[in-house]
Amino acid sequence: MATYKVTVATGDMVEAGTNNTISITLVGSYGESRQTTVSFFFLPGKEKSLSVHCGQDLGPIVLIRLHKWRLFLEDAWFCKDVRVTAPNGTLYRFPCYQWLEGVTTVEVREGSGKKLVDDKLQILKEHRHRELAARQEAYRWKNFAQGWPRCLNVDSIFELDSNIQFSRIRAKNFTGFLIFQGASHFLSGFLLRRSSWNSLDEMRTIFSRTQGRDIGGCLLCCPLPFL
């Protein structure tokens, strides 16, 4: 009997946790483990630890499979990384940093960088081919118009995988920042101003010091008339 210690870390974003079921399969050079449930509930920024018992030594761990399934409602999960400690004390790291959505299985390679020629095991060669095929499917190109650069062959960004889209968390933060700045400029009289600026010093009374250092770039993008 060989026992592997596994630690699964969830990202620290607000929506990174999930109440869906996550399980894991360890894949080594000598064989693979059975699918083992990690947890039914994950909190953002927290880790889950478990033991995976195998009938034999799996050899060096080269790959893990993360399985996500739901009983009722869908709840996306952001996996930060997975760490596996073998019976002999060897630590294997599997950086994930991606969203898992729906009922899905994601394969993650061991974190040491390797080239194609380094893939001696057939399972790693097959994984690389599947990964390449998935990338080619995700990044399909089309000509938008004659003379225009090529662009993605999608009608909406929502057709893209969530790991390709602009981060939902960053989008919310960006929107919140815009609202905050808009309210600040409104209260300071910037948005309702009907007359021209008299000087840069007058503008500095509106903008913060940080924004003031970038005032030249601001004027280039949105020139304002001066008297």
Side-chain angles (χ1 to χ4, degrees):
M1 178 71 70
T3 300
Y4 294 81
K5 303 296 183 181
V6 178
T7 302
V8 180
T10 299
D12 58 3
M13 296 88 76
V14 175
E15 300 178 0
T18 183
N19 55 22
N20 290 175
T21 302
I22 305 297
S23 56
I24 189 171
T25 301
L26 307 181
V27 180
S29 56
Y30 302 155
E32 62 183 65
S33 71
R34 60 181 177 83
Q35 184 173 321
T36 305
T37 298
V38 179
S39 179
F40 298 93
F41 185 73
F42 290 82
L43 290 174
K46 301 298 182 180
E47 297 181 346
K48 295 283 187 177
S49 297
L50 70 151
S51 297
V52 177
H53 304 285
C54 304
Q56 62 178 4
D57 184 6
L58 302 179
I61 307 300
V62 297
L63 192 76
I64 63 168
R65 298 190 187 103
L66 292 171
H67 314 275
K68 177 179 174 295
W69 60 278
R70 63 180 186 269
L71 186 59
F72 296 109
L73 297 178
E74 160 63 14
D75 191 11
W77 175 55
F78 187 88
C79 177
K80 179 183 176 182
D81 60 22
V82 177
R83 301 183 297 277
V84 179
T85 303
N88 62 5
T90 303
L91 176 63
Y92 300 93
R93 298 179 182 272
F94 298 86
C96 186
Y97 296 97
Q98 60 180 298
W99 289 97
L100 279 69
E101 295 181 327
V103 178
T104 186
T105 295
V106 172
E107 294 182 331
V108 182
R109 295 171 66 109
E110 198 270 325
S112 57
K114 293 180 180 177
K115 304 183 293 295
L116 177 62
V117 295
D118 298 324
D119 291 341
K120 306 301 182 182
L121 298 175
Q122 183 62 29
I123 192 171
L124 291 180
K125 296 178 181 179
E126 294 173 354
H127 172 263
R128 193 179 290 271
H129 286 306
R130 289 193 299 271
E131 186 178 52
L132 177 60
R135 293 292 180 88
Q136 291 173 337
E137 177 65 22
Y139 297 101
R140 291 173 288 121
W141 302 98
K142 68 178 180 181
N143 289 323
F144 177 74
Q146 185 65 32
W148 283 65
R150 300 179 69 186
C151 59
L152 282 175
N153 186 20
V154 293
D155 296 324
S156 168
I157 61 171
F158 298 107
E159 296 180 22
L160 299 173
D161 183 87
S162 59
N163 293 295
I164 303 174
Q165 296 178 26
F166 187 72
S167 167
R168 294 175 295 178
I169 306 301
R170 290 191 178 189
K172 290 182 179 179
N173 291 341
F174 185 67
T175 301
F177 177 77
L178 288 179
I179 294 174
F180 173 78
Q181 288 295 326
S184 299
H185 292 163
F186 175 79
L187 294 174
S188 59
F190 173 68
L191 293 182
L192 298 181
R193 185 183 180 94
R194 296 180 179 276
S195 59
S196 302
W197 299 102
N198 296 314
S199 66
L200 285 176
D201 288 335
E202 185 179 3
M203 297 186 71
R204 291 191 182 98
T205 64
I206 302 295
F207 295 99
S208 66
R209 293 182 179 180
T210 302
Q211 292 171 317
R213 287 196 295 267
D214 296 329
I215 194 66
C218 178
L219 293 176
L220 289 175
C221 297
C222 183
L224 297 171
F226 287 83
L227 291 178

